């Protein structure tokens, strides 16, 4: 029997067997496990997105490619730099996973029962609503994570460039942002964040179930194939992120309002002019390609994190079902 995430009125093995709290627990565990493995890719993605100088060419900025950037960060900041901002990022993933999956399951069932809509339509609408709620709930941690990843901290063995650490850690970042910018500082870039995460989440759930169903049909699986889950989740994440990537660039740029990186990283423009004018500014100064900086590592990161998120979520749901003998 085919099993998919979300409510399915045609299936006797639907995820409705689990309670809301159990879906929340599975989502939280999935977020934690996924973040622990995917954090280095997130660091690379954010460094590329925040770089205002070109990635290639004679006037290229600090980061010019994935391999070059990995070597440069490891040499200048040490291997630990790939886990900068990991504490708030782990909290972000835990909160996001908990809220997204539990809200998705709740919305999916009610949309399907109330509207008699197709599974595909239910997946997209429920995923969009769940993504909006999850992004809003985790926004403060997202801002803190972005700023910790963005700041420079040179290793003791390297004397090139300034050693400038604005935030000494997660707690220091929380108190500093609150003191200098007030509550609004924790929600910098909220509009583009929701604008990208809401439809992206909807597309992810839609793509995931559709691809899973197709793969299970091709491989004659019954919905329990781990490889199918990973492939479907990876493809869903990469597709959804690619379609809305420019907004992801802008949400990280706007999250930098009120925070200036060390000149060692390059320019840091003022994005307090708002989303629309910020988009125009990037297009004018960096060209259309500027809206797609870091696309490849972002696609890789989205594929890995989405594949692992869906995989771990369904694994944890299966463990909870087995515990109850379902």
């Amino acid at each position: 029997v085919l099993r998919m995430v979300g409510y399915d009125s045609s299936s006797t093995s639907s995820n409705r067997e689990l309670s809301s709290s159990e879906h929340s627990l599975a989502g939280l565990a999935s977020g934690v496990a996924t973040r622990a493995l995917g954090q280095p890719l997130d660091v690379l993605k954010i460094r590329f997105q925040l770089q205002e100088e070109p990635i290639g060419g004679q006037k290229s900025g600090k980061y010019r490619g994935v391999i070059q950037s990995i070597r440069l960060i490891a040499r200048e900041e040490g291997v630990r730099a790939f886990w900068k901002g990991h504490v708030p990022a782990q909290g972000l993933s835990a909160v996001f996973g908990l809220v997204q999956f539990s809200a998705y399951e709740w919305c999916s069932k009610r949309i399907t029962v109330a509207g008699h809509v197709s599974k595909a339509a239910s997946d997209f609408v429920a995923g969009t609503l769940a993504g909006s709620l999850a992004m809003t709930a985790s926004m403060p941690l997202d801002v803190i994570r972005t700023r910790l990843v963005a700041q420079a901290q040179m290793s003791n063995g390297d004397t090139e460039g300034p050693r400038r650490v604005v935030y000494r850690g997660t707690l220091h970042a929380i108190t500093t942002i609150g003191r200098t910018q007030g509550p609004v500082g924790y929600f910098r870039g909220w509009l583009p964040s929701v604008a990208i995460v809401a439809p992206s989440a909807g597309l992810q759930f839609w793509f995931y179930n559709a691809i899973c169903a197709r793969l299970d049909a091709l491989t004659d699986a019954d919905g329990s194939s781990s490889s199918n889950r990973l492939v479907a989740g990876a493809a869903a994440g990469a597709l959804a992120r690619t379609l809305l990537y420019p907004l992801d660039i802008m949400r990280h740029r706007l999250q930098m309002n009120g925070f200036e990186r060390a000149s060692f990283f390059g320019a840091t423009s003022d994005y307090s002019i708002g989303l629309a004018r910020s988009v125009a500014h990037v297009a004018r100064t960096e060209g259309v390609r500027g809206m797609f900086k870091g696309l490849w590592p972002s696609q890789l990161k989205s594929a890995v994190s989405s594949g692992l998120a869906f995989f771990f979520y369904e694994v944890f749901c299966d463990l909870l079902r087995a515990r109850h003998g379902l």
Side-chain angles (χ1 to χ4, degrees), residues 183-247:
V184 70
Y186 299 115
F187 291 89
R188 298 286 189 185
W190 176 84
L191 180 59
S193 294
V194 172
I196 185 175
V197 170
S200 178
L203 289 171
Q204 264 187 288
F205 282 104
W206 180 20
F207 285 142
Y208 176 75
N209 279 330
I211 296 171
C212 251
R214 183 60 177 165
L215 288 176
D216 288 340
L218 290 173
T219 59
D220 198 26
D222 62 357
S224 60
S225 170
S226 297
S227 60
N228 285 0
R229 291 175 178 180
L230 280 170
V231 172
L239 286 170
R241 179 50 58 94
T242 301
L243 292 174
L244 298 164
Y245 187 73
L247 280 174

Side-chain angles (χ1 to χ4, degrees), residues 16-319:
R16 66 180 181 275
E17 298 162 344
L18 299 180
S19 67
S20 295
S21 60
E22 287 171 324
H23 283 306
S24 298
L25 179 61
L28 186 150
S30 173
V32 170
T34 300
R35 173 60 62 176
L37 297 174
Q39 176 69 4
L41 290 172
D42 204 37
V43 169
L44 280 176
K45 182 197 75 169
I46 292 175
R47 291 287 178 92
F48 276 118
Q49 289 181 336
L50 296 181
Q51 177 171 289
E52 299 184 15
E53 296 78 17
I55 290 178
Q58 294 183 341
K59 298 182 179 180
S60 62
K62 182 178 176 67
Y63 304 114
R64 300 187 295 275
V66 173
I67 301 302
Q68 178 266 348
S69 299
I70 291 173
R71 291 173 175 172
L72 186 63
I73 292 172
R75 185 178 72 247
E76 293 183 342
E77 305 171 55
V79 176
R80 291 180 60 185
F82 292 104
W83 277 268
K84 273 186 177 179
H86 184 62
V87 172
Q90 191 62 267
L92 162 67
S93 294
V95 172
F96 193 92
L98 185 156
V99 175
Q100 178 179 240
F101 280 108
S102 59
Y104 170 77
E105 299 285 357
W106 188 90
C107 292
S108 176
K109 180 173 182 178
R110 278 148 187 80
I111 291 171
T112 302
V113 172
H116 303 289
V117 298
S118 67
K119 175 63 175 169
S122 173
D123 286 339
F124 180 75
V125 175
T128 298
L129 293 172
S132 299
L133 291 172
M135 188 69 256
T136 301
S138 60
M139 189 72 206
L141 290 167
D142 192 27
V143 171
I144 293 167
R145 178 277 308 259
T146 297
R147 295 191 179 189
L148 287 175
V149 170
Q151 70 179 3
Q153 183 175 9
M154 304 293 290
S155 63
N156 290 333
D158 196 329
T159 59
E160 295 181 12
R163 295 189 181 98
R164 180 183 179 187
V165 179
V166 180
Y167 305 124
R168 295 190 297 272
T170 302
L171 290 178
H172 184 243
I174 292 172
T175 56
T176 301
I177 293 173
R179 185 180 69 253
T180 60
Q181 301 173 49
V184 70
Y186 299 115
F187 291 89
R188 298 286 189 185
W190 176 84
L191 180 59
S193 294
V194 172
I196 185 175
V197 170
S200 178
L203 289 171
Q204 264 187 288
F205 282 104
W206 180 20
F207 285 142
Y208 176 75
N209 279 330
I211 296 171
C212 251
R214 183 60 177 165
L215 288 176
D216 288 340
L218 290 173
T219 59
D220 198 26
D222 62 357
S224 60
S225 170
S226 297
S227 60
N228 285 0
R229 291 175 178 180
L230 280 170
V231 172
L239 286 170
R241 179 50 58 94
T242 301
L243 292 174
L244 298 164
Y245 187 73
L247 280 174
D248 198 37
I249 291 272
M250 296 315 304
R251 82 184 183 95
H252 284 304
R253 294 286 182 96
L254 290 173
Q255 284 176 351
M256 296 295 287
N257 282 340
F259 173 80
E260 185 174 351
R261 297 183 298 165
S263 58
F264 180 73
F265 275 116
T268 303
S269 295
D270 179 12
Y271 292 99
S272 62
I273 54 178
L275 176 59
R277 286 196 286 178
S278 292
V279 170
H281 169 74
V282 172
R284 183 177 63 254
T285 59
E286 303 174 47
V288 175
R289 293 181 61 184
M291 301 300 293
F292 291 90
K293 282 180 177 176
L295 177 60
W296 186 72
S298 182
Q299 287 174 319
L300 180 60
K301 183 260 180 183
S302 294
V304 170
S305 61
S306 180
L308 291 175
F310 280 108
F311 170 75
F312 283 128
Y313 176 70
E314 295 216 55
V315 166
F316 287 124
C317 281
D318 287 345
L319 289 174

